[in-house]
Amino acid sequence: MGYRYAIIGAGRQGLSAAYDLARFGSAEEILLCDLKLETAQKGVEKLRAQLSQDLFIPVSLDAGNLNQLQNALKGVDSAISAVPFTFNLGITKAAIECNTNLCDLGGHTETVLKQLALDEPAKSSGITIVPDCGMGPGLNISLGVLAMSFLEKPINLFIWDGGLPLNPVPPWNYISTFHINGLTNEYEGPAWFIRDGKPTQVPCLSEVEELDFPTPLGRLEAAVTSGGLSTAPWTFADKLQRLENKTLRYPGHWQTFQAFQQLGLFEQTPVEIKDGSFVPRETFHALLQPKIAGDQVHDICVIRVRCEGESNGKTAVCTLDLCETYDEETGLTAMEKFTGWHASMVAILSAQNKLPKGAVPIEKALSGPLLMQEAEKRKWTIKNNTLLGV
């Protein structure tokens, strides 16, 4: 049996998701939708060249137009939204009207909560809505859920993740794999963790710590950033004593950005100067973006989770590592694979009726066993170090 899929947004992550759907989704047809038909057409040409498959159809679509959305989603089994989060609530409503499963790349918890409030209409339509797919929030949380499944009684869950250049170049030692405004938003905060069983605000760029990873990464630094856990602190409140997520960077990064923050460069309130004014964040972005962007992104992404708890009445610890690198053959970046493929997994499993119906947060949608099955198909090696009686 073949499925019909739709990708809304033909950018990097959307194309990566479409690539994965074609390989593992038993796809009969994949609509590649974008505001600019030319962008969708170029995406289709690229995918056809990568896969030698003729499943892809370019579609001109305004993601903010309800009628166009409903026309595009009619008869589609699963759709993936790879456009900015501002469109996701409207796309969710259109998906419910069309009885189409939907997942998206999330990134904005307030919008996600509005989507999850549509749980009953989604159930009535017999579909699954899963916001917050991608690397983080998304795959990082799914890996955390997997680690929790190895212990009888999970107590604390720590998550570290990051996307980094394979060959860092000083002084930045960083390369941008998404819009710089998203980076600044993550660094501005605050973040939400669980402390003492309760959701707790924690300031961004704080609590810096060092972790060691295998070659080629070596020693990295982790710090608090916002948004990486989305709804998980409320889902796991009173179930976990601690839940934390920090972002990984090469040493020195956090000290530099703490200085930028203290200088006021993240601020959006205009600053008066002689003969005019300027917005610090806009100036900061204009100066920094060219320094950390590049057409060729040879990157490495890593996620580590550590779950502490009990099994068989003894202390137990489960540590999982997952790493991905740039693919020379396909040209897909590590970030594209972690982001697009995680969304694709959810879209496929939704089409196959293997996920709960309704509007479901990612931490409740994708179980540990399902993640392991899907990871194995994509040749992702999840290194598992589970210790009992520690």
Side-chain angles (χ1 to χ4, degrees), residues 99 101 116 159 164 290 311 316 375:
N99 306 108
N101 298 297
L116 296 178
I159 302 173
L164 298 160
S311 288

Side-chain angles (χ1 to χ4, degrees), residues 8-233:
I8 303 172
R12 284 182 168 183
Q13 318 303 343
L15 293 185
S16 175
Y19 175 92
D20 194 70
L21 289 173
R23 291 196 305 161
F24 300 111
S26 301
E28 181 180 293
E29 186 176 83
I30 300 174
L31 307 179
L32 195 61
C33 310
D34 200 273
L35 181 62
K36 297 180 180 179
L37 182 60
E38 182 184 2
T39 300
Q41 289 170 332
K42 287 181 178 178
V44 166
E45 290 171 7
K46 181 177 180 179
L47 289 162
R48 286 174 177 167
Q50 285 176 326
L51 293 160
S52 301
Q53 294 186 45
D54 197 17
L55 301 169
F56 309 99
I57 299 174
V59 176
S60 175
L61 172 66
D62 179 353
N65 186 306
L66 183 60
N67 289 333
Q68 288 187 28
L69 282 169
Q70 290 178 341
N71 288 334
L73 295 179
K74 207 169 292 181
V76 168
D77 295 291
S78 278
I80 298 173
S81 170
V83 292
F85 73 83
T86 50
F87 293 103
N88 284 340
L89 185 58
I91 295 171
T92 300
K93 293 175 180 177
I96 291 171
E97 287 294 321
C98 296
N99 306 108
T100 299
N101 298 297
L102 174 71
C103 62
D104 64 49
L105 304 185
H108 189 257
T109 306
E110 288 182 19
T111 299
V112 170
L113 291 173
K114 292 176 182 177
Q115 292 173 269
L116 296 178
L118 299 173
D119 180 50
E120 287 303 322
K123 283 179 180 174
S124 298
S125 292
I127 62 169
T128 300
I129 305 289
V130 186
D132 279 336
C133 298
M135 178 176 170
L139 182 56
N140 62 340
I141 296 172
S142 297
L143 205 64
V145 170
L146 175 59
M148 290 169 65
S149 73
F150 288 111
L151 305 186
E152 286 181 6
K153 183 183 177 182
I155 298 174
N156 301 320
L157 179 63
F158 304 94
I159 302 173
W160 302 271
D161 59 79
L164 298 160
L166 263 173
N167 301 299
V169 177
W172 308 109
N173 295 323
Y174 179 75
I175 192 163
S176 176
T177 52
F178 54 94
H179 195 282
I180 192 170
N181 197 55
L183 182 73
T184 313
N185 286 336
E186 285 186 7
Y187 287 7
E188 189 178 29
W192 283 93
F193 288 176
I194 292 176
R195 296 274 168 89
D196 298 322
K198 306 295 181 186
T200 305
Q201 276 195 358
V202 182
C204 281
L205 307 189
S206 66
E207 302 186 15
V208 177
E209 61 179 318
E210 295 182 339
L211 294 91
D212 290 316
F213 290 86
T215 304
L217 288 170
R219 178 156 293 189
L220 300 178
E221 289 180 345
V224 176
T225 59
S226 69
L229 292 173
S230 190
T231 56

